[in-house]
Structures are given as structure tokens and as C-alpha cells.
Amino acid sequence: MKQVMNQALKAKEVERHRAAVLRMEMDYELATLFEAIGEDNDQKRSQCKQRLERIRLELLKLKAL
């Protein structure tokens, strides 16, 4: 029983850590998107939006767990 509890706590900690990493990635991508908009770079803007969508979906999955 104790092992199960330890594993559950460890899994929660991993989820919290992953969410923090995703938020940092999202901040970076938003800054990159801001640059791309300023440079009027459509290709870079599109890539940033795709990465932001992937991050958003992963964050939603983590919150659903």
C-alpha cells in the first residue's frame, strides 16, 4: 500500500514538473511569435502557432488527469 501511495505522489510530481516546463515553452513560443509578427515572417509565425497548439493540447491533457 505504501508503494502505491509513493508511486502516485511521484506521478503527480512528474505531472506538475511537466506542466511547468510546458508553461516555460509556451512563454518562449509566444515571444518568438511576437518576433515573427514584428518581422512579418509568415513561415516563422505559422511554425510558432503550430507549436503553441501542441503545447496547449498537452496542457489540457495534463489538467484532465
Side-chain angles (χ1 to χ4, degrees), residues 1-7:
M1 183 67 173
K2 196 174 193 178
Q3 283 181 329
V4 172
M5 292 298 291
N6 285 339
Q7 287 175 345

Side-chain angles (χ1 to χ4, degrees), residues 25-61:
E25 286 181 24
M26 184 171 55
D27 288 343
Y28 175 79
E29 285 303 327
L30 287 169
T32 306
L33 178 60
F34 181 78
E35 265 181 33
I37 291 169
E39 296 169 355
D40 199 28
N41 186 335
D42 291 334
Q43 182 181 6
K44 191 174 177 182
R45 189 178 340 182
S46 177
Q47 289 172 345
C48 288
K49 286 181 180 181
Q50 288 174 355
R51 286 190 288 260
L52 284 165
E53 179 65 17
R54 179 194 56 81
I55 292 167
R56 184 185 76 83
L57 290 174
E58 193 169 343
L59 280 169
L60 285 174
K61 286 179 187 176

